[in-house]
Amino acid sequence: MTRARRIAIIGGGITGLAAAVRLRDRAPAGTEITVYEGSAALGGKLRTGEVAGRTVELGAESFLMRDPAGGESAAVALIRRLGLAEQIVHPTVGQAALAVDGALRPIPGGTLVGVPGDLAQVATVAPPAADADRDAGRPLLGADDDVAVGALVRARLGDPVVDRLVDPMLGGVYAGRADDLSLATTMPALARAARVEHTLVGAVRAAQAAAPRAPGAPVFGTLAGGLSTLVDAAVRASGATVRTGATVRELTPTADGGWRLVVGPTREPELVEADAVLLAVPARPAARLLGAAAPAVAAAVGGLDYASVALVTLALPAPRLPRLSGFLVPATEGLLIKASTFFTTKWGHLAQPDGLALVRASVGRYGEETSLQLADDDLVAAVRKELSGVLGDPLPTPVAGHVQRWGGALPQYTPGHLDRVAAARAALRAAHPTLVLAGAGYDGVGIPVCVRSGATAAEEIITALGGSGT
């Protein structure tokens, strides 16, 4: 009788859980799936909590509804698979602003992550260079080129467009700087268009045309019950054995092509055998585990850096807030906060008759982590003061506040990232086909990207072990 296959997933964030669901759906019946999570809770950056008795996201807030090709995103597909589609809700207020020169200005339309497709629309916020974007008779990028977003946009449109539009929008997602982040990784559609188009505005328009959005179709969604319901449903659907507080400290290949895991504290190590391993942890812990089996891959993976952030949520009694979803803050404004979301304005399902408002601010940019050393109470006070200044109206004393710190949360993708990841995966596939990498550290941030990364890794394991059960 053939022994059931044993698959270990290291990392219980949404990437690992999406992989577990795909394995349950596609692997042969009886496959044993175990998820090892070093912390006390599953879900990674998906964490729903409470502030002043109200439900609020303490990590990721929403997901994209569509994928880059225009179909439904991997997150929506997983939500449907888990029977949660009826819980999807959308923002009731979509307009956001920029905090520029001490005032809030609506974010101009027609941009792609801040890069304009119409220079006239952005002129009042970020005037382009006088000789902007001339056609030099050749594509902006070569076939295999990757550049920093800031370098390309500064050269074509000037500094104000980067500093006042692109940098705050990228910073809101990655907590990084446009001058450091890879175009091919953070804005792949624009990178593809830039290899054909002769102007940046033309590349933006081409990228937008390649993935048209139906007028009025929602861009973002979340779950009415909170994103932790997605985590719980994925665990149930996977049928996996889940072990929290279980740190995997060592990973070594066995003679039969499988793997031996050393789990738990040094004093009481537990040895576990698995036929395949899916690594769904950040790049640096992944590199430590790869050190013995694939040192070259470990070196390549371990070079990825991360930014740390803190999310400060205030529960405010009947504040006077503008009818906005929130605002972004360019680094040139010199503020501690880099973004703010007016939760109970943006998400109508969270609003209550008593007028209590939930406002969240994000603190921390890559390379500027000293602000995160403030104590929680000081951070809350600083955020309230800065929000009051931006809004031009003192905010009332919060009835409650919460600080959620995410250390090393957001990968910083420098130019050439995708090629480095592809080479690392190719080397790992050749030497150890039953060991795969998945997650934001390799494929990009956002719930849909992580879900797709986990599902793709699961399919690779199924193939390596001899095929599916369907």
Side-chain angles (χ1 to χ4, degrees):
M1 183 175 180
T2 304
R3 176 180 61 79
R5 295 288 194 175
R6 295 170 297 190
I7 301 174
I9 298 174
I10 303 176
I14 191 58
T15 299
L17 297 178
V21 173
R22 180 60 65 91
L23 287 169
R24 182 57 63 208
D25 289 346
R26 299 269 293 129
T31 298
E32 298 175 11
I33 305 166
T34 304
V35 177
Y36 297 90
E37 168 57 42
S39 72
L42 297 172
K45 307 307 179 296
L46 274 62
R47 185 176 301 178
T48 306
E50 285 191 355
V51 177
R54 307 295 169 84
T55 299
V56 66
E57 298 298 345
L58 304 177
E61 168 197 352
S62 61
F63 48 82
L64 286 166
M65 293 296 295
R66 314 302 297 179
D67 70 11
E72 72 177 14
S73 73
V76 174
L78 177 62
I79 287 166
R80 292 191 189 285
R81 157 68 181 85
L82 300 176
L84 299 175
E86 292 184 357
Q87 291 195 37
I88 295 177
V89 293
H90 307 291
T92 48
V93 173
Q95 179 65 59
L98 287 164
V100 177
D101 296 333
L104 289 177
R105 304 188 189 185
I107 293 178
T111 75
L112 187 63
V113 197
V115 186
D118 181 346
L119 298 184
Q121 288 199 55
V122 306
T124 58
V125 174
D131 58 346
D133 213 21
R134 293 183 184 277
D135 186 342
R138 61 181 182 275
L140 297 175
L141 296 180
D144 300 315
D145 289 349
D146 187 17
V147 296
V149 176
L152 176 64
V153 182
R154 288 188 196 279
R156 303 298 303 185
L157 301 178
D159 293 342
V161 174
V162 175
D163 295 338
R164 292 188 165 203
L165 278 172
V166 181
D167 200 57
M169 293 191 77
L170 280 175
V173 177
Y174 299 96
R177 303 304 299 268
D179 293 320
D180 302 322
L181 292 169
S182 154
L183 178 74
T185 308
T186 62
M187 304 170 70
L190 184 57
R192 287 192 295 270
R195 296 185 178 108
V196 177
E197 299 293 327
H198 294 191
T199 66
L200 187 54
V201 167
V204 170
R205 292 174 177 173
Q208 291 170 330
R213 181 167 61 91
V219 177
F220 297 101
T222 193
L223 295 180
L227 289 174
S228 284
T229 61
L230 173 59
V231 174
D232 296 339
V235 172
R236 291 193 298 270
S238 74
T241 299
V242 173
R243 298 189 50 189
T244 56
T247 300
V248 178
R249 294 191 293 105
E250 294 180 24
L251 183 64
T252 54
T254 58
D256 61 357
W259 298 91
R260 178 172 295 108
L261 287 65
V262 178
V263 184
T266 306
R267 301 183 308 276
E268 301 175 8
E270 176 188 359
L271 301 182
V272 176
E273 302 282 338
D275 297 292
V277 174
L278 191 154
L279 277 177
V281 292
R284 287 178 178 173
R288 288 194 291 271
L289 290 173
L290 288 166
V297 174
V301 167
L304 182 67
D305 209 354
Y306 286 74
S308 298
V309 297
L311 301 178
V312 181
T313 304
L314 307 180
L316 302 165
R320 291 184 292 271
L321 299 176
R323 190 73 178 162
L324 295 167
S325 61
F327 62 86
L328 299 171
V329 184
T332 51
E333 292 294 302
L335 296 180
L336 189 70
I337 59 176
K338 65 183 180 67
S340 181
T341 302
F342 305 151
F343 266 108
T344 39
T345 303
K346 180 177 181 178
W347 302 102
H349 69 284
L350 295 178
Q352 297 291 334
D354 62 8
L356 188 71
L358 297 175
V359 176
R360 188 174 84 174
S362 177
V363 175
R365 292 181 174 89
Y366 178 67
E368 300 176 7
E369 285 83 2
T370 54
S371 60
L372 302 179
Q373 296 174 8
L374 290 173
D376 285 3
D377 288 348
D378 294 334
L379 205 51
V380 167
V383 163
R384 180 192 173 206
K385 180 179 179 181
E386 289 196 350
L387 288 174
S388 297
V390 171
L391 297 174
D393 189 14
L395 290 174
T397 301
V399 300
H402 183 275
V403 177
Q404 181 67 51
R405 299 175 186 270
W406 294 106
L410 296 171
Q412 302 297 297
Y413 312 108
T414 55
H417 171 81
L418 294 181
D419 288 342
R420 291 190 293 273
V421 169
R425 280 177 163 155
L428 200 58
R429 194 175 296 119
H432 302 290
T434 56
L435 177 61
V436 297
L437 297 169
Y442 318 104
D443 299 317
V445 302
I447 297 172
V449 175
C450 291
V451 169
R452 185 174 66 245
S453 179
T456 301
E459 292 288 352
E460 190 167 344
I461 279 180
I462 291 168
T463 298
L465 292 179
S468 71
T470 59

